Amino acid sequence: MTAGTQADWRPSGPLTLETAGAALAEARRAVADGVSRVDLSGVPQADSAGLAVLLDLVREAARREQSLDLVGMPAGLRSLADLYGVTDLLPLNEAAPGA
């Protein structure tokens, strides 16, 4: 996982049970630093633990009254969010990650 600019967080690599703990800590730091956009285009694979990290990130941003956009969400992760019925809880921005 890597951090981008202060306004962006760009996790890279799998967002799975094995990486969720570290990703959660990094996501919370990103929110504390004022992240406003999460670029998921560098996430090749994710599971329900990864989805839980994103939901926690969204919840923490809302608690801090920060706006947040998720961009570049992988199709598999989007399908998982749809399956669990939580897609509407995610601030998805369908624009290209570089836009």
Side-chain angles (χ1 to χ4, degrees), residues 12-93:
S12 61
L15 196 52
T16 61
L17 182 60
E18 291 78 23
T19 63
L24 180 60
E26 191 173 318
R28 287 183 176 170
R29 279 192 303 275
V31 169
D33 288 345
V35 70
S36 61
R37 188 172 107 135
V38 178
D39 181 349
L40 298 165
S41 61
V43 177
Q45 133 187 36
D47 62 14
S48 59
L51 183 58
V53 168
L54 295 180
L55 290 168
D56 185 85
L57 177 69
V58 169
R59 183 175 41 250
E60 184 62 17
R63 188 184 71 77
R64 293 173 177 264
E65 298 181 0
Q66 290 174 223
S67 67
L68 188 68
D69 282 326
L70 301 179
V71 299
M73 189 170 203
L77 187 54
R78 173 68 184 256
S79 293
L80 194 59
D82 290 344
L83 176 68
Y84 290 144
V86 297
T87 305
D88 290 343
L89 300 176
L90 301 171
L92 298 175
N93 182 335

